[in-house]
Amino acid sequence: MKATATANANIALAKYWGQRDIALTLPANSSISMTLDGLSTKTTVEFSGGLKQDSLKIDGHAASREEIARTSGFLDIVRKMHGTQIFARVESENNFPKSAGLASSASGFAALALAATRALGMELDAIELSKLARRGSGSASRSVFGGFVEWKKGSREDGSDCYATPIAPKEHWPELKMIVAVLTKKEKAVSSEKGMQLTMSTSPLYNAWLGSADSDLEAAREAILEKDFNGLGKTAEMNCLKMHSTMLTTEPHLIYWEPETIGLMKGIMGLREDGVECYFTIDAGPQVKVLCLEKDAKRIVKYLSFLPGVKETRVCGTGEGARIAKQGLF
Ligand code: PMV
C-alpha cells in the first residue's frame, strides 16, 4: 500500500495556454516540451485503512489547505479508478523552489500519479499514466516521459485521446541544454490554471495565440528531430512571447515577470547580438530559462551571474521520465 516515485520537471518549447475542458484538464492547443534532468520531485504515498483524511507534506512542511484539497481531489480520481475509499499519507520533496514558474506541478503530479497507482497495486501503461497525471496538472502529462515530448490536445470530449507521447529520447540531442535562472523563490500569485481561464475569457489576443499554435508546434517538432538549434530557439522564444502577450492583455493583467526578468530577456538578446547562440523562454512565473548548446553554457552562466537579481543558475540537459524509487521519504 506504499510506493515512491520520482519525476522530472519539463519546460515547454511550444507552450500550452488555455483549456477546452476545465474539469478534465483538456488543453485548447497541443504542446511540446523537454524533460529536464536537473529538476525533480520525489513523492511517497501510503494508503492506510486507519487514516481519517489525506495528509500532505511538501519539502518537510505541512502543506496549505489549497494544496491538500488539490492533492485529495487528484487522489479521489485514483481511488475511483481502483474502487477504494481509503485515505493516504503523502510526502513530497522538490530539489528546486515550488510554484515559482519552474514546473513543480508537472514533476509533482507525474510523481504522485505513479506513486499513488503503484501503492494501490495498479500497473498503468505510460499513456494511461499520462492521462491520469494530466488531471492533476496539464503539463504533468508530459513529465511521465523523458526526452522530448508532445502532448496532443485530442478532440474527444471524454479526453480519451488527450495524452503525451515521446517524440525523441533523452539521448537524441545531448548537446542541447537549458539553463534555468532563478530570480525569486516567491510563489506566484495567480496559478496557471486560473490564469489561463482569465486569459481565455478576456484577452483580445487569445484567438491569435490559438491561430499560430499549430504552426509553432510543427516547427518545434521538426527542429527537434533535425537538431536545428536556431530553428528551435527562434520558435520557442517567439512562442513564449506570444503566450505572454495574451497574459499581458488579460483583465486583470497577468504580468508574471519581475523587472529582473526583462533584464535577462534583454541580456540574452544582447548576447545573441555578440554572436552567442541562445534563446529565452519563460512560463507562468518570473524565472528565465535559456536554451543553448553545451559549448556555450559556461559562458552564458557566467554572464547571467553578473545580471541583477539572478540568485541561482542550473544547467539542465534532457532528463528521464517518471520512475519508481527504491528509497521512500518515510
Ligand atoms: O500544467 P500547468 O497548469 O502548470 O500549466 C502550464 C502552463 C505553462 O507552463 C505556462 C506552459 C506549459 O506548456 O508548460
Side-chain angles (χ1 to χ4, degrees), residues 12 15-17 105 137-139 142 192-193 196 243 283-284:
K15 298 191 189 287
Y16 143 59
W17 196 249
S105 65
S137 162
S139 54
R142 301 185 307 236
S192 336
E193 195 172 28
M196 53 183 94
M243 177 182 76
D283 293 288

Side-chain angles (χ1 to χ4, degrees), residues 13-28:
L13 300 165
K15 298 191 189 287
Y16 143 59
W17 196 249
Q19 296 171 333
R20 65 182 171 88
D21 185 302
I22 296 170
L24 291 175
T25 324
L26 302 178

Side-chain angles (χ1 to χ4, degrees), residues 39-323:
L39 309 176
S40 66
T41 303
K42 185 176 194 179
T43 300
T44 299
V45 178
E46 181 171 37
F47 287 91
S48 155
L51 298 173
K52 296 213 162 49
Q53 58 190 24
D54 295 319
S55 70
L56 173 64
K57 240 189 205 177
I58 304 178
D59 296 332
H61 303 286
S64 67
R65 210 179 291 173
E66 294 81 42
E67 286 166 331
I68 295 175
R70 194 168 171 192
T71 301
S72 268
F74 181 78
L75 290 175
D76 285 343
I77 299 171
V78 179
R79 281 188 275 259
K80 199 168 166 202
M81 281 169 83
H82 185 261
T84 186
Q85 290 188 331
I86 49 179
F87 293 109
R89 171 180 172 193
V90 181
E91 288 195 20
S92 193
E93 262 174 24
N94 297 294
N95 70 352
F96 59 97
K98 71 177 163 79
S99 302
L102 281 181
S104 59
S105 65
S107 52
F109 280 102
L112 181 63
L114 181 56
T117 50
R118 285 297 177 89
L120 288 173
M122 297 156 77
E123 293 260 353
L124 300 189
D125 65 27
I127 285 180
E128 290 308 312
L129 196 63
S130 172
K131 284 188 206 165
L132 173 62
R134 187 198 80 216
R135 304 289 302 276
S137 162
S139 54
S141 65
R142 301 185 307 236
S143 273
V144 167
F145 299 98
F148 299 90
V149 182
E150 179 165 346
W151 174 26
K152 292 205 166 54
K153 67 175 190 242
S155 57
R156 294 191 202 135
E157 267 178 37
D158 64 357
S160 55
D161 58 351
C162 182
Y163 51 85
T165 45
I167 53 176
K170 74 177 180 29
E171 296 77 18
H172 170 68
W173 198 353
E175 302 80 21
L176 187 71
K177 300 289 168 202
M178 194 173 275
I179 304 170
V180 176
V182 179
L183 295 169
T184 164
K185 300 189 178 178
K186 270 196 306 213
E187 296 196 13
K188 61 189 167 208
V190 182
S191 70
S192 336
E193 195 172 28
K194 177 91 200 294
M196 53 183 94
Q197 284 163 23
L198 286 171
T199 301
M200 281 188 95
S201 54
T202 64
S203 170
L205 302 186
Y206 189 72
N207 280 338
W209 160 257
L210 282 185
S212 73
D214 282 349
S215 57
D216 283 359
L217 189 86
E218 301 293 323
R221 191 193 309 113
E222 209 159 299
I224 289 167
L225 293 176
E226 288 171 7
K227 297 198 231 175
D228 167 10
F229 176 72
N230 284 307
L232 181 61
K234 274 185 195 155
T235 302
E237 190 173 288
M238 191 58 138
N239 179 267
C240 149
L241 289 174
K242 288 178 196 168
M243 177 182 76
H244 280 275
S245 304
T246 71
M247 295 164 165
L248 296 172
T249 48
T250 290
E251 265 318 332
H253 312 318
L254 281 173
I255 306 181
Y256 285 109
W257 302 337
E258 293 293 331
E260 294 82 1
T261 310
I262 299 174
L264 258 78
M265 290 156 77
K266 292 201 163 198
I268 294 303
M269 289 162 68
L271 261 184
R272 218 157 52 215
E273 270 166 29
D274 290 344
V276 185
E277 296 176 329
C278 54
Y279 297 88
F280 62 80
T281 186
I282 305 160
D283 293 288
Q287 327 298 0
V288 178
K289 295 104 189 181
V290 183
L291 199 65
C292 68
L293 291 168
E294 190 164 26
K295 65 178 174 62
D296 299 315
K298 253 198 194 134
R299 179 170 170 192
I300 299 169
V301 165
K302 191 161 174 210
Y303 175 80
L304 292 176
S305 68
F306 288 118
L307 294 182
V310 178
K311 298 222 163 47
E312 189 186 329
T313 51
R314 280 195 205 193
V315 182
C316 302
T318 36
E320 52 186 323
R323 64 258 176 216

